[in-house]
Amino acid sequence: MKNYRIHAFLQTLSPLHITSPESARMKIEDSTVVYGESVGIPLNQVQRINVQGLGGATRAIPVIAANNLMGRMRRHGATKVLDALRRKGEKVAMSTYSALQCGAATGKPDGRDVLFTEYREASNHPYIGLFGGGPRMMRRNVRCFNAVPYMECSEIMFGRNKHPHLDDEIHKASDARKLTQCWILNRNDDLRELINLSQAQASITDFEKEITKRQEAILADSKGKAESGESSTRHTTRSFSSFEFVIPGVYFPLCFELMNVDDAQVGLFLLAFDSFAATERLGGHARNGMGQFSITDVMITDDGGNALAKDLFSESRLNSGDPFVQRFLQAWSVASEKMSGAELDRLFAPPPADEAKGKKAKAVEAV
């Protein structure tokens, strides 16, 4: 069992929008963002993290949360496991499938203490030992850091997770305020604008009656309201909204720490990362072309930061022919042949009903 760090750069190739839950609006006339006011149009902002830099100044910078990245990596790892089982004609229980995808089959993990024999078996399993989970929520052996652009105000966030090439000027961002942009979305109403009227007349039952009724309803709802960018009535599809995004070309340094892992688990992680780089789209509006990225400058170091291998990826794909990489992929290939659906079902099995009832009864007695 060894410790490794895998470093990489994620560069946005298209707008990246990971929505923040905070409520905000934007004034159309000058694109000013306002909070706690009813003016302007709704604005969906990107997730940020506040960083206190030199001199105590606080800056809000875009962030790709570690749990976002690890949740996606877990699913790509689960796909590799399920692919290996399918090649042998094996399947798993539905609860096992759910646990592979998100770490747990239900929202109420088994509260029993973990026995040493259970810990040892789970830790040695290629998937559970790497990504953790299960009914007793075994700790995963991959640690991921929040991904933020590297700049003067965020430098404090980079320690042992700092990419060895992070000091290259190309990977630095100069000003947090220039990393994002806002767009306004306009949903049109063809009937309100009387667009393609001949098609509407030929397709809508009682067209003249219905269009007149609809127009009267829109006018009635709009009466007395000032002109604004918002939809002024519930009888029309016309509306305005806005959203913020991280601009293309921004670098997010990535770092994953793999702790007490064997070669097969490293191989599974590399394959999951390869699938992540090849197929993922981050954030919202992915079907409109957003969330695209490249993975570059992937290298692996020991836990002391000493480089063991570089250029693990080329053009966002794993260099599977590299001798250093092949060692781990071969170990995964051997381990995956030994895996079985029955074994996974047993390791991910919820506690027996009688044990669960006994635990509940004891809890009631204690109260």
Side-chain angles (χ1 to χ4, degrees):
M1 296 290 189
K2 295 184 179 180
N3 299 336
Y4 300 97
R5 291 191 195 126
I6 295 179
H7 299 275
F9 289 104
L10 184 154
Q11 184 185 24
T12 57
L13 301 180
S14 66
L16 168 65
H17 174 77
I18 300 177
T19 300
S20 168
E22 61 184 323
S23 177
R25 302 179 77 84
M26 187 179 76
K27 295 180 180 179
I28 294 181
E29 58 271 17
D30 57 6
S31 298
T32 301
V33 178
V34 294
Y35 301 90
E37 299 182 33
S38 59
V39 299
I41 59 177
L43 172 65
N44 291 324
Q45 294 186 288
V46 298
Q47 282 190 353
R48 284 185 170 84
I49 185 170
N50 289 325
V51 181
Q52 184 168 313
L54 298 175
T58 300
R59 293 286 184 271
I61 58 176
V63 61
I64 304 175
N67 65 326
N68 185 339
L69 294 168
M70 280 310 307
R72 294 168 187 269
M73 286 291 294
R74 175 188 287 278
R75 285 170 170 80
H76 286 283
T79 296
K80 298 302 175 183
V81 170
L82 295 170
D83 286 346
L85 294 179
R86 270 198 302 272
R87 286 194 293 269
K88 298 188 290 184
E90 298 186 31
K91 295 185 177 182
V92 296
M94 183 178 292
S95 58
T96 301
Y97 180 86
S98 294
L100 284 169
Q101 299 300 315
C102 67
T106 71
K108 298 181 67 175
D110 181 3
R112 293 178 297 167
D113 292 334
V114 179
L115 301 177
F116 174 72
T117 53
E118 294 175 322
Y119 168 80
R120 181 173 57 190
E121 184 178 21
S123 296
N124 291 332
H125 191 276
Y127 176 86
I128 304 175
L130 184 65
F131 290 106
R136 280 166 293 289
M137 297 303 291
M138 301 296 294
R139 182 179 300 172
R140 68 170 183 257
N141 284 335
V142 181
R143 180 185 293 136
C144 180
F145 295 85
N146 291 324
V148 298
Y150 181 66
M151 62 188 75
E152 183 178 347
C153 66
S154 65
E155 189 172 359
I156 192 173
M157 297 182 67
F158 295 87
R160 67 178 185 272
N161 60 321
K162 184 177 180 180
H163 194 294
H165 299 161
L166 194 55
D167 289 327
D168 295 348
E169 286 299 320
I170 190 175
H171 298 131
K172 290 184 178 179
S174 60
D175 188 342
R177 293 167 296 184
K178 297 180 180 179
L179 297 181
T180 62
Q181 183 179 344
C182 293
W183 273 352
I184 295 175
L185 299 179
N186 177 22
R187 179 184 289 117
N188 291 319
D189 184 338
D190 286 8
L191 290 173
R192 181 171 179 170
E193 304 297 329
L194 300 181
I195 296 174
N196 205 352
L197 198 57
S198 59
Q199 175 178 274
Q201 287 177 307
S203 305
I204 298 175
T205 304
D206 296 330
F207 172 75
E208 290 193 16
K209 174 184 175 183
E210 293 300 320
I211 192 68
T212 300
K213 185 195 304 182
R214 188 174 190 269
Q215 290 176 332
E216 289 174 349
I218 292 173
L219 289 172
D221 279 356
S222 301
K223 187 177 181 180
K225 291 187 177 181
E227 282 295 326
S228 71
E230 292 184 275
S231 173
S232 58
T233 169
R234 56 192 170 87
H235 293 96
T236 177
T237 61
R238 182 174 181 266
S239 64
F240 286 87
S241 61
S242 58
F243 73 100
E244 183 184 33
F245 57 85
V246 179
I247 62 174
V250 176
Y251 284 97
F252 287 83
L254 304 180
C255 180
F256 301 93
E257 289 186 340
L258 281 62
M259 302 159 291
N260 297 316
V261 292
D262 60 25
D263 285 1
Q265 291 166 342
V266 177
L268 174 57
F269 183 87
L270 289 174
L271 288 173
F273 197 25
D274 177 54
S275 178
F276 171 89
T279 63
E280 274 291 354
R281 296 293 181 267
L282 296 175
H285 302 279
R287 286 176 174 77
N288 293 326
M290 297 191 183
Q292 299 180 64
F293 60 88
S294 65
I295 297 294
T296 60
D297 205 351
V298 183
M299 60 188 303
I300 186 168
T301 69
D302 60 21
D303 52 3
N306 302 304
L308 301 176
K310 60 180 181 178
D311 299 327
L312 299 184
F313 278 55
S314 176
E315 297 182 352
S316 291
R317 296 309 306 269
L318 179 67
N319 285 326
S320 56
D322 183 282
F324 185 84
V325 173
Q326 282 188 335
R327 161 190 155 193
F328 300 112
L329 297 188
Q330 289 169 359
W332 158 250
S333 179
V334 172
S336 65
E337 284 299 315
K338 296 178 182 178
M339 283 191 313
S340 71
E343 178 190 35
L344 281 168
D345 284 343
R346 178 175 58 81
L347 290 171
F348 279 124
D354 56 343
E355 291 187 28
K357 289 179 181 178
K359 185 171 65 174
K360 184 177 180 180
K362 289 182 179 180
V364 172
E365 289 175 8
V367 173

Coordinates of all heavy atoms in Angstrom, one line a residue, residues 292-348:
Q292 N -17.7 22.4 -21.1 CA -16.6 21.6 -21.7 C -15.3 22.1 -21.1 O -15.1 23.2 -20.8 CB -16.7 21.9 -23.2 CG -17.9 21.4 -23.9 CD -17.9 21.7 -25.4 OE1 -17.1 21.1 -26.1 NE2 -18.8 22.6 -25.8
F293 N -14.4 21.1 -21.0 CA -13.1 21.4 -20.5 C -12.0 20.4 -21.0 O -12.4 19.4 -21.7 CB -13.1 21.3 -18.9 CG -13.5 19.9 -18.5 CD1 -12.6 18.9 -18.3 CD2 -14.9 19.6 -18.2 CE1 -12.9 17.6 -17.9 CE2 -15.2 18.3 -17.8 CZ -14.3 17.3 -17.6
S294 N -10.8 20.8 -20.8 CA -9.7 19.9 -21.1 C -8.9 19.5 -19.9 O -8.9 20.3 -18.9 CB -8.7 20.5 -22.2 OG -8.1 21.6 -21.6
I295 N -8.3 18.4 -19.9 CA -7.4 18.0 -18.8 C -6.0 17.9 -19.3 O -5.7 17.2 -20.3 CB -7.8 16.6 -18.2 CG1 -9.2 16.7 -17.6 CG2 -6.8 16.1 -17.1 CD1 -9.3 17.6 -16.4
T296 N -5.1 18.7 -18.7 CA -3.7 18.8 -19.2 C -2.7 18.6 -18.0 O -3.1 18.7 -16.9 CB -3.5 20.1 -19.9 OG1 -3.7 21.2 -18.9 CG2 -4.4 20.3 -21.1
D297 N -1.5 18.4 -18.4 CA -0.3 18.4 -17.5 C -0.6 17.5 -16.3 O -0.4 17.9 -15.2 CB 0.0 19.8 -17.1 CG 1.5 19.9 -16.6 OD1 2.2 18.9 -16.6 OD2 1.9 21.1 -16.4
V298 N -1.0 16.2 -16.6 CA -1.3 15.3 -15.5 C 0.0 14.6 -15.1 O 0.7 14.0 -15.9 CB -2.4 14.2 -16.0 CG1 -2.7 13.3 -14.8 CG2 -3.6 14.9 -16.5
M299 N 0.3 14.6 -13.8 CA 1.5 14.0 -13.3 C 1.2 13.4 -11.9 O 0.2 13.8 -11.3 CB 2.6 15.0 -13.3 CG 2.4 16.2 -12.4 SD 3.8 17.4 -12.6 CE 5.2 16.4 -12.1
I300 N 2.0 12.4 -11.6 CA 1.8 11.8 -10.3 C 3.1 11.9 -9.5 O 4.2 11.8 -10.0 CB 1.5 10.3 -10.5 CG1 1.2 9.6 -9.2 CG2 2.6 9.5 -11.2 CD1 0.6 8.2 -9.3
T301 N 2.9 12.2 -8.2 CA 4.1 12.4 -7.3 C 3.9 11.5 -6.1 O 2.8 10.9 -5.8 CB 4.2 13.8 -6.8 OG1 3.1 14.1 -5.9 CG2 4.2 14.8 -7.9
D302 N 4.9 11.3 -5.3 CA 4.7 10.6 -4.0 C 4.2 11.6 -3.0 O 4.0 12.7 -3.3 CB 6.0 9.9 -3.6 CG 7.2 10.9 -3.4 OD1 6.9 12.1 -3.2 OD2 8.4 10.5 -3.4
D303 N 4.0 11.1 -1.8 CA 3.4 12.0 -0.8 C 4.4 13.1 -0.3 O 4.0 14.0 0.5 CB 2.8 11.2 0.4 CG 3.8 10.3 1.0 OD1 4.9 10.2 0.6 OD2 3.4 9.5 2.0
G304 N 5.6 13.0 -0.7 CA 6.6 14.0 -0.4 C 6.7 15.1 -1.5 O 7.5 16.0 -1.4
G305 N 5.9 14.9 -2.6 CA 5.9 15.9 -3.7 C 6.9 15.6 -4.8 O 7.1 16.3 -5.7
N306 N 7.6 14.4 -4.7 CA 8.6 14.1 -5.7 C 7.9 13.5 -6.9 O 7.1 12.5 -6.8 CB 9.6 13.1 -5.1 CG 10.3 13.6 -3.9 OD1 11.0 14.7 -3.9 ND2 10.2 12.9 -2.7
A307 N 8.3 14.0 -8.1 CA 7.6 13.5 -9.3 C 8.0 12.1 -9.6 O 9.2 11.7 -9.6 CB 8.0 14.4 -10.5
L308 N 7.0 11.2 -9.9 CA 7.2 9.8 -10.2 C 7.0 9.6 -11.7 O 7.7 8.8 -12.4 CB 6.2 8.9 -9.5 CG 6.4 9.0 -7.9 CD1 5.3 8.1 -7.3 CD2 7.7 8.5 -7.5
A309 N 6.1 10.4 -12.3 CA 5.8 10.3 -13.8 C 5.0 11.5 -14.2 O 4.3 12.1 -13.4 CB 5.0 9.0 -14.1
K310 N 5.2 12.0 -15.4 CA 4.5 13.1 -15.9 C 3.9 12.7 -17.3 O 4.2 11.6 -17.8 CB 5.4 14.3 -16.1 CG 6.6 14.1 -17.0 CD 7.4 15.4 -17.0 CE 8.6 15.2 -18.0 NZ 9.4 16.5 -18.1
D311 N 3.1 13.6 -17.8 CA 2.5 13.4 -19.1 C 1.7 12.1 -19.1 O 1.7 11.3 -20.1 CB 3.5 13.4 -20.3 CG 4.3 14.7 -20.4 OD1 3.7 15.7 -20.1 OD2 5.4 14.7 -20.8
L312 N 0.9 11.9 -18.0 CA 0.1 10.7 -18.0 C -1.1 10.8 -19.0 O -1.7 9.7 -19.3 CB -0.5 10.5 -16.6 CG 0.5 10.3 -15.4 CD1 -0.2 10.1 -14.1 CD2 1.5 9.2 -15.7
F313 N -1.5 12.0 -19.3 CA -2.6 12.2 -20.3 C -2.0 13.0 -21.5 O -1.1 13.7 -21.4 CB -3.7 13.0 -19.7 CG -4.7 12.2 -18.8 CD1 -4.2 11.4 -17.8 CD2 -6.0 12.3 -19.1 CE1 -5.1 10.7 -17.0 CE2 -6.9 11.5 -18.3 CZ -6.5 10.8 -17.3
S314 N -2.6 12.7 -22.7 CA -2.4 13.5 -23.9 C -3.7 13.8 -24.5 O -4.5 12.9 -24.8 CB -1.5 12.6 -24.8 OG -1.3 13.3 -26.0
E315 N -3.9 15.1 -24.8 CA -5.2 15.5 -25.4 C -6.4 15.0 -24.6 O -7.3 14.5 -25.2 CB -5.2 15.1 -26.9 CG -4.2 15.8 -27.7 CD -4.3 15.4 -29.2 OE1 -5.1 14.5 -29.5 OE2 -3.5 16.0 -30.0
S316 N -6.3 15.2 -23.3 CA -7.3 14.8 -22.4 C -7.7 13.3 -22.3 O -8.7 12.9 -21.9 CB -8.6 15.6 -22.7 OG -8.5 17.0 -22.4
R317 N -6.7 12.5 -22.8 CA -6.9 11.0 -22.7 C -5.7 10.4 -22.0 O -4.6 10.8 -22.2 CB -7.2 10.4 -24.0 CG -8.5 10.9 -24.7 CD -9.7 10.7 -23.9 NE -9.9 9.4 -23.3 CZ -10.7 8.5 -23.9 NH1 -11.2 8.7 -25.1 NH2 -10.8 7.3 -23.3
L318 N -6.0 9.3 -21.3 CA -4.9 8.6 -20.6 C -4.0 7.9 -21.6 O -4.4 7.3 -22.5 CB -5.6 7.5 -19.7 CG -4.6 6.6 -18.9 CD1 -3.9 7.5 -17.8 CD2 -5.4 5.5 -18.2
N319 N -2.7 8.1 -21.3 CA -1.6 7.4 -22.1 C -1.5 6.0 -21.6 O -0.6 5.6 -20.9 CB -0.3 8.2 -22.0 CG -0.3 9.5 -22.8 OD1 -0.9 9.6 -23.8 ND2 0.4 10.5 -22.2
S320 N -2.5 5.2 -22.1 CA -2.5 3.8 -21.6 C -1.3 2.9 -22.0 O -1.0 1.9 -21.4 CB -3.8 3.1 -22.0 OG -3.9 3.2 -23.4
G321 N -0.6 3.4 -23.0 CA 0.6 2.7 -23.5 C 1.9 3.0 -22.7 O 2.9 2.3 -22.9
D322 N 1.8 4.0 -21.9 CA 3.0 4.4 -21.1 C 3.3 3.3 -20.1 O 2.4 2.8 -19.4 CB 2.7 5.7 -20.3 CG 3.9 6.2 -19.5 OD1 4.1 5.6 -18.5 OD2 4.5 7.1 -20.0
P323 N 4.6 2.8 -20.0 CA 4.9 1.7 -19.1 C 4.6 2.0 -17.7 O 4.1 1.0 -17.0 CB 6.5 1.6 -19.3 CG 6.7 2.2 -20.7 CD 5.7 3.3 -20.8
F324 N 4.7 3.2 -17.2 CA 4.3 3.5 -15.8 C 2.8 3.3 -15.6 O 2.4 2.8 -14.6 CB 4.7 5.0 -15.5 CG 4.5 5.3 -14.1 CD1 5.4 5.0 -13.1 CD2 3.3 6.0 -13.7 CE1 5.2 5.4 -11.8 CE2 3.1 6.4 -12.4 CZ 4.0 6.0 -11.4
V325 N 2.0 3.7 -16.6 CA 0.6 3.6 -16.5 C 0.2 2.1 -16.6 O -0.7 1.6 -15.9 CB -0.1 4.4 -17.6 CG1 -1.6 4.2 -17.6 CG2 0.1 5.9 -17.3
Q326 N 0.8 1.4 -17.5 CA 0.5 0.0 -17.8 C 0.6 -0.9 -16.5 O -0.2 -1.8 -16.3 CB 1.4 -0.6 -18.9 CG 0.9 -0.1 -20.3 CD 1.7 -0.9 -21.4 OE1 2.8 -1.4 -21.1 NE2 1.1 -1.0 -22.5
R327 N 1.5 -0.6 -15.7 CA 1.7 -1.3 -14.5 C 0.4 -1.3 -13.6 O 0.0 -2.3 -13.1 CB 2.9 -0.7 -13.7 CG 2.9 -1.1 -12.2 CD 3.9 -0.2 -11.5 NE 3.6 -0.1 -10.1 CZ 4.2 0.8 -9.3 NH1 5.2 1.6 -9.8 NH2 3.9 0.9 -8.0
F328 N -0.2 -0.1 -13.5 CA -1.4 0.0 -12.7 C -2.6 -0.6 -13.5 O -3.5 -1.2 -12.8 CB -1.7 1.5 -12.4 CG -0.6 2.1 -11.6 CD1 0.2 3.1 -12.1 CD2 -0.3 1.7 -10.3 CE1 1.2 3.7 -11.4 CE2 0.7 2.3 -9.5 CZ 1.5 3.3 -10.1
L329 N -2.7 -0.4 -14.8 CA -3.8 -0.9 -15.5 C -3.8 -2.5 -15.5 O -4.9 -3.1 -15.5 CB -3.8 -0.4 -17.0 CG -3.9 1.1 -17.2 CD1 -4.0 1.4 -18.6 CD2 -5.1 1.6 -16.4
Q330 N -2.6 -3.1 -15.6 CA -2.5 -4.5 -15.6 C -3.0 -5.0 -14.2 O -3.7 -6.1 -14.1 CB -1.1 -5.0 -15.9 CG -0.7 -4.8 -17.3 CD 0.8 -5.0 -17.6 OE1 1.5 -5.2 -16.6 NE2 1.2 -4.8 -18.8
A331 N -2.6 -4.3 -13.1 CA -3.1 -4.7 -11.8 C -4.6 -4.7 -11.7 O -5.2 -5.5 -11.1 CB -2.4 -3.9 -10.7
W332 N -5.2 -3.6 -12.2 CA -6.6 -3.5 -12.2 C -7.3 -4.6 -13.0 O -8.3 -5.2 -12.6 CB -7.1 -2.1 -12.8 CG -8.5 -2.1 -13.3 CD1 -8.9 -2.0 -14.5 CD2 -9.7 -2.2 -12.5 NE1 -10.3 -2.1 -14.6 CE2 -10.8 -2.2 -13.4 CE3 -9.9 -2.4 -11.1 CZ2 -12.1 -2.3 -12.9 CZ3 -11.2 -2.5 -10.7 CH2 -12.3 -2.4 -11.6
S333 N -6.7 -4.9 -14.2 CA -7.2 -6.0 -15.0 C -7.3 -7.3 -14.3 O -8.3 -8.0 -14.3 CB -6.4 -6.1 -16.3 OG -6.9 -7.2 -17.1
V334 N -6.2 -7.6 -13.5 CA -6.2 -8.9 -12.8 C -7.2 -8.8 -11.6 O -8.0 -9.8 -11.4 CB -4.8 -9.1 -12.2 CG1 -4.8 -10.3 -11.2 CG2 -3.8 -9.4 -13.3
A335 N -7.3 -7.7 -10.9 CA -8.2 -7.6 -9.8 C -9.7 -7.6 -10.3 O -10.5 -8.2 -9.6 CB -7.9 -6.3 -9.0
S336 N -9.9 -7.0 -11.4 CA -11.3 -6.9 -11.9 C -11.8 -8.3 -12.3 O -13.0 -8.6 -12.2 CB -11.4 -6.0 -13.1 OG -10.7 -6.4 -14.2
E337 N -10.9 -9.2 -12.7 CA -11.3 -10.5 -13.1 C -11.7 -11.3 -11.9 O -12.5 -12.3 -11.9 CB -10.2 -11.3 -13.8 CG -10.0 -10.8 -15.3 CD -11.2 -11.1 -16.1 OE1 -11.8 -12.2 -16.0 OE2 -11.6 -10.2 -16.9
K338 N -11.2 -11.0 -10.7 CA -11.5 -11.7 -9.5 C -12.8 -11.2 -8.8 O -13.3 -11.8 -7.9 CB -10.3 -11.6 -8.5 CG -9.0 -12.2 -9.0 CD -7.9 -12.0 -8.0 CE -6.6 -12.7 -8.5 NZ -5.5 -12.4 -7.6
M339 N -13.2 -10.0 -9.2 CA -14.4 -9.4 -8.6 C -15.6 -10.2 -9.0 O -15.7 -10.8 -10.1 CB -14.6 -7.9 -9.0 CG -13.7 -7.0 -8.3 SD -14.2 -5.3 -8.7 CE -14.4 -5.3 -10.4
S340 N -16.6 -10.2 -8.2 CA -17.9 -10.8 -8.5 C -19.1 -10.0 -8.0 O -18.9 -9.2 -7.0 CB -18.0 -12.2 -7.9 OG -18.1 -12.1 -6.5
G341 N -20.2 -10.1 -8.7 CA -21.4 -9.4 -8.3 C -21.9 -9.9 -6.9 O -22.3 -9.0 -6.1
A342 N -21.7 -11.2 -6.6 CA -22.1 -11.7 -5.3 C -21.3 -11.1 -4.2 O -21.8 -10.8 -3.1 CB -22.0 -13.2 -5.3
E343 N -20.0 -10.9 -4.4 CA -19.2 -10.3 -3.4 C -19.6 -8.9 -3.1 O -19.7 -8.5 -2.0 CB -17.7 -10.4 -3.9 CG -16.7 -9.7 -2.9 CD -15.3 -9.6 -3.5 OE1 -15.2 -9.3 -4.8 OE2 -14.4 -9.7 -2.8
L344 N -19.8 -8.1 -4.2 CA -20.3 -6.7 -4.0 C -21.6 -6.7 -3.3 O -21.8 -5.8 -2.4 CB -20.4 -6.0 -5.3 CG -19.0 -5.5 -5.9 CD1 -19.2 -5.1 -7.4 CD2 -18.5 -4.4 -5.1
D345 N -22.5 -7.5 -3.6 CA -23.8 -7.6 -2.9 C -23.7 -7.8 -1.4 O -24.3 -7.2 -0.6 CB -24.7 -8.7 -3.5 CG -25.3 -8.3 -4.9 OD1 -25.3 -7.1 -5.2 OD2 -25.8 -9.2 -5.6
R346 N -22.7 -8.7 -1.1 CA -22.5 -9.0 0.3 C -21.8 -7.8 1.0 O -22.3 -7.5 2.1 CB -21.6 -10.3 0.4 CG -21.2 -10.6 1.9 CD -20.4 -11.9 1.9 NE -19.2 -11.8 1.1 CZ -18.1 -11.2 1.5 NH1 -18.0 -10.7 2.7 NH2 -17.0 -11.2 0.8
L347 N -20.9 -7.2 0.4 CA -20.2 -6.1 1.0 C -21.1 -4.8 1.2 O -20.9 -4.1 2.1 CB -18.9 -5.7 0.2 CG -17.8 -6.7 0.3 CD1 -16.7 -6.4 -0.7 CD2 -17.2 -6.8 1.7
F348 N -22.0 -4.7 0.2 CA -22.9 -3.5 0.3 C -24.3 -3.9 0.9 O -25.1 -3.0 0.9 CB -23.1 -3.0 -1.1 CG -22.0 -2.1 -1.6 CD1 -21.4 -2.4 -2.8 CD2 -21.6 -1.0 -0.9 CE1 -20.3 -1.6 -3.3 CE2 -20.6 -0.2 -1.4 CZ -20.0 -0.5 -2.6

